[in-house]
């Protein structure tokens, strides 16, 4: 609870010693623990040290150097001996556990079949490991380094939250994209976790709207993914380019929205356990036919069905579901919210912040179609009545996805079915909340 500022625990019959973990609550500015049965030293926290006496009174034996509280008595020699007798076996047990887990870790690292769905091809000198399903891993590391001139900037075609992507032409004349993960020297664990998350997510999925992984390499100097190269690049880049955005006409944009919906529906409902992407935005990649491919799985989370799925905050500001700001519990409805933002961005050609504000503040009797005409991407000609009806359908679905109550948002399975029924009349649209 790093953001908690005020905590009142008075009159609660609490007993025992106040945990020192209160010292880690950096935002805590006021605390009241009066009239309980607490004892011992108060935490070395500004909130406790600056607390008025009435916020600490009524307890059995709180002590401190704070004015108004009795000073704490030092442990006697007998007490020190008792503490030593208690702590010694505990330390011995912890040491034994440490040795056990160290041996277990070494054995796990020696296992060759860490990823059974891929063929382990080679352990490259210098500590690298290349695993590949479609390429000869024995030569891949050197070939990637040669093709990108050791990741020269001239080959860079994009950058995301977890790494930079390079274009590489192999000796076989195959074109691939190589995503090199950022090296975070002060947070190597987070960097490695992002890399492993992306590998695990990509190697377990098979869908036409999800980027295809060819292999990956973990090396002391570089960690990178090798995946299919998609000619048109990212949706973000195209929407920002005036000329290319004009080429992305309405039917292509609707197809992009549908492709992302199908991919997320597959991840949420056809994968076991479900995969939550957590960073859906306009970084979707497009092939030569403008077919959408979901990528950038560095923040993906494999949903534990028998767990509470608490998590650290991940994703891109503006696309993150609002409940994550105060619950930190990840569900598939977080992706649904991000999908709603993306769907509106595709038909508007820009981030939909102003449109969302106007919808929230406008008269509910105003039709969505009237509002939609005002915000459609002005770089494209007005859509035909049939296409306009489908755009309104997408906008209606998107606004349902942006509901602040997660349980009131539709599922991606419901959304994909509605979008698949392209000829269905608007009046048949029914988005019932799933609980």
């Amino acid at each position: 609870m790093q953001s908690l500022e005020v905590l009142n625990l008075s009159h609660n019959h609490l007993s025992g010693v106040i945990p020192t973990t209160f010292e880690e609550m950096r935002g805590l500015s006021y605390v009241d623990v009066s009239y309980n049965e607490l004892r011992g030293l108060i935490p070395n926290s500004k909130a406790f040290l600056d607390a008025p006496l009435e916020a600490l009174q009524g307890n059995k034996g709180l002590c401190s150097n704070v004015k108004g509280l009795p000073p704490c008595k030092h442990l006697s020699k007998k007490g020190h001996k008792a503490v030593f007798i208690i702590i010694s076996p505990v330390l011995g047990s912890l040491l034994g556990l440490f040795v056990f887990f160290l041996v277990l870790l070494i054995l796990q690292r020696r296992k060759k079949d860490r990823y059974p769905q891929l063929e382990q091809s080679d352990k490259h000198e210098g500590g690298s490991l290349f695993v590949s399903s479609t390429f000869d891993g024995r030569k891949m590391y050197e070939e990637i380094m040669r093709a990108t001139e050791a990741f020269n900037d001239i080959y860079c075609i994009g950058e995301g939250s977890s790494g930079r992507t390079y274009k590489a032409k192999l000796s076989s004349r195959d074109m691939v994209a190589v995503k090199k993960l950022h090296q975070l020297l002060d947070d190597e664990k987070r960097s490695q976790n992002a890399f492993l998350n992306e590998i695990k997510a990509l190697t377990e999925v098979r869908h036409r709207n999800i980027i295809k992984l060819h292999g990956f390499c973990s090396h002391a100097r570089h960690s990178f993914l090798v995946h299919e190269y998609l000619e048109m690049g990212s949706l973000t880049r195209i929407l920002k380019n005036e000329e290319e955005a004009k080429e992305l006409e309405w039917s292509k944009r609707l197809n992009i929205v549908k492709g992302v919906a199908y991919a997320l529906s597959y991840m949420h409902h056809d994968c076991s356990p479900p995969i939550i992407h957590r960073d859906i935005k306009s970084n979707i990649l497009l092939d030569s036919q403008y077919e959408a491919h979901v990528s950038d799985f560095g923040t993906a989370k494999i949903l534990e069905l028998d767990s509470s799925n608490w998590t650290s905050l991940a994703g891109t500001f503006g696309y993150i579901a609002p409940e994550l700001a105060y619950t930190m519990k990840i569900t598939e409805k977080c992706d649904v919210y991000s999908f709603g933002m993306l769907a509106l961005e595709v038909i508007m050609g820009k981030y939909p912040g102003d449109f969302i504000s106007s919808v929230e503040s406008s008269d509910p009797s105003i039709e969505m179609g009237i509002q939609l005409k005002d915000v459609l991407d002005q770089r494209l000609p007005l859509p035909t009545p049939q296409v306009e009806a489908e755009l309104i359908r997408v906008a209606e679905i998107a606004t349902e996805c942006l509901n602040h109550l997660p349980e009131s948002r539709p599922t991606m399975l419901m959304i994909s079915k509605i979008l698949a029924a392209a000829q269905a009349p608007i009046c048949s649209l029914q988005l019932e909340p799933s609980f």
Side-chain angles (χ1 to χ4, degrees):
M1 296 185 290
Q2 296 295 308
S3 301
L4 187 64
E5 297 179 1
V6 177
L7 178 63
N8 190 336
L9 298 173
S10 61
H11 300 277
N12 270 290
H13 300 288
L14 300 174
S15 60
V17 178
I18 302 175
T20 57
T21 48
F22 275 98
E23 297 172 7
E24 299 173 10
M25 298 172 65
R26 307 300 181 192
L28 193 62
S29 60
Y30 176 80
V31 67
D32 187 343
V33 294
S34 60
Y35 298 101
N36 285 288
E37 300 175 15
L38 300 169
R39 57 182 172 78
L41 182 67
I42 65 173
N44 185 26
S45 163
K46 191 174 186 299
F48 281 91
L49 299 177
D50 294 347
L53 184 60
E54 54 267 22
L56 304 173
Q57 64 186 359
N59 288 285
K60 281 186 175 181
L62 286 181
C63 62
S64 173
N65 294 329
V66 175
K67 185 177 180 181
L69 288 180
C72 296
K73 296 179 179 180
H74 293 292
L75 290 172
S76 63
K77 292 182 179 180
K78 183 178 180 180
H80 280 295
K81 184 177 180 180
V83 170
F84 179 78
I85 292 173
I86 294 172
I87 289 179
S88 293
V90 174
L91 290 177
S93 300
L94 290 175
L95 181 61
L97 283 173
F98 173 76
V99 172
F100 171 77
F101 283 113
L102 183 62
V103 172
L104 186 63
L105 181 62
I106 293 172
L107 291 175
Q108 285 180 335
R109 286 184 175 179
R110 289 180 178 178
K111 288 177 67 177
K112 294 182 179 180
D113 194 20
R114 293 183 64 185
Y115 297 94
Q117 62 272 63
L118 298 175
E119 174 193 357
Q120 181 170 314
S121 302
D122 181 42
K123 285 190 176 180
H124 186 272
E125 63 178 350
S128 73
L129 169 66
F130 195 91
V131 178
S132 174
S133 59
T134 56
F135 290 103
D136 179 7
R138 199 173 295 275
K139 299 178 181 178
M140 182 56 64
Y141 180 81
E142 292 88 347
E143 189 157 6
I144 292 297
M145 295 299 289
R146 175 197 58 76
T148 62
E149 296 181 19
F151 298 108
N152 192 308
D153 287 346
I154 63 174
Y155 297 97
C156 183
I157 57 175
E159 184 167 6
S161 58
S162 54
R164 305 183 76 186
T165 302
Y166 298 80
K167 181 179 177 180
K169 188 173 184 179
L170 306 180
S171 57
S172 61
R173 297 191 177 278
D174 289 314
M175 192 69 72
V176 295
V178 182
K179 181 176 178 181
K180 177 178 173 289
L181 266 75
H182 294 312
Q183 295 296 322
L184 303 178
L185 298 179
D186 57 341
D187 197 356
E188 292 182 356
K189 183 177 180 181
R190 194 182 105 195
S191 179
Q192 184 70 6
N193 283 343
F195 182 58
L196 294 176
N197 278 350
E198 185 146 1
I199 293 168
K200 188 173 184 181
L202 285 172
T203 55
E204 293 179 357
V205 298
R206 295 290 185 275
H207 194 276
R208 62 175 294 180
N209 295 113
I210 297 177
I211 198 79
K212 182 181 179 182
L213 177 70
H214 293 311
F216 67 89
C217 178
S218 180
H219 189 275
R221 291 178 57 204
H222 307 294
S223 292
F224 56 81
L225 301 169
V226 182
H227 58 77
E228 62 180 319
Y229 173 73
L230 299 177
E231 297 87 342
M232 300 309 298
S234 73
L235 177 62
T236 302
R237 183 190 63 80
I238 293 177
L239 290 178
K240 289 181 178 179
N241 186 296
E242 292 294 320
E243 294 304 317
E244 292 192 60
K246 293 176 183 178
E247 295 294 322
L248 201 64
E249 41 91 12
W250 294 121
S251 61
K252 292 176 181 176
R253 298 194 186 201
L254 289 170
N255 195 49
I256 289 170
V257 173
K258 292 177 184 179
V260 176
Y262 299 153
L264 290 177
S265 178
Y266 168 81
M267 290 163 58
H268 292 180
H269 303 283
D270 295 326
C271 292
S272 182
I275 299 174
I276 311 301
H277 189 282
R278 295 206 294 171
D279 198 17
I280 292 295
K281 55 185 178 182
S282 56
N283 60 345
I284 303 300
L285 298 178
L286 306 177
D287 61 20
S288 58
Q289 303 301 312
Y290 292 93
E291 189 77 28
H293 296 256
V294 174
S295 64
D296 202 4
F297 282 75
T299 59
K301 184 174 179 65
I302 311 300
L303 202 61
E304 302 291 342
L305 298 180
D306 298 324
S307 171
S308 58
N309 292 294
W310 296 99
T311 183
S312 58
L313 191 63
T316 302
F317 180 76
Y319 297 83
I320 302 174
E323 67 269 15
L324 281 180
Y326 53 88
T327 67
M328 291 297 182
K329 183 178 181 180
I330 190 74
T331 69
E332 73 279 1
K333 294 302 181 72
C334 299
D335 278 352
V336 173
Y337 182 92
S338 301
F339 170 79
M341 297 295 292
L342 171 65
L344 288 176
E345 184 172 358
V346 171
I347 62 179
M348 293 174 60
K350 62 181 180 179
Y351 179 73
D354 294 339
F355 174 72
I356 294 170
S357 300
S358 66
V359 170
E360 291 176 345
S361 60
S362 65
D363 186 338
S365 63
I366 299 177
E367 293 184 1
M368 174 68 72
I370 297 174
Q371 297 182 32
L372 189 63
K373 288 179 181 178
D374 297 332
V375 295
L376 286 178
D377 194 339
Q378 301 299 309
R379 295 171 293 187
L380 297 185
L382 288 175
T384 63
Q386 182 180 356
V387 173
E388 182 182 350
E390 198 165 353
L391 289 170
I392 292 174
R393 181 186 294 112
V394 169
E396 289 176 333
I397 292 172
T399 53
E400 291 284 346
C401 294
L402 300 180
N403 195 306
H404 280 255
L405 297 175
E407 62 272 17
S408 296
R409 297 171 199 153
T411 65
M412 290 310 306
L413 182 61
M414 295 166 57
I415 294 169
S416 62
K417 287 182 177 179
I418 293 170
L419 293 177
Q423 303 303 319
I426 300 292
C427 59
S428 69
L429 177 63
Q430 294 292 331
L431 292 178
E432 298 179 359
S434 79
F435 296 89

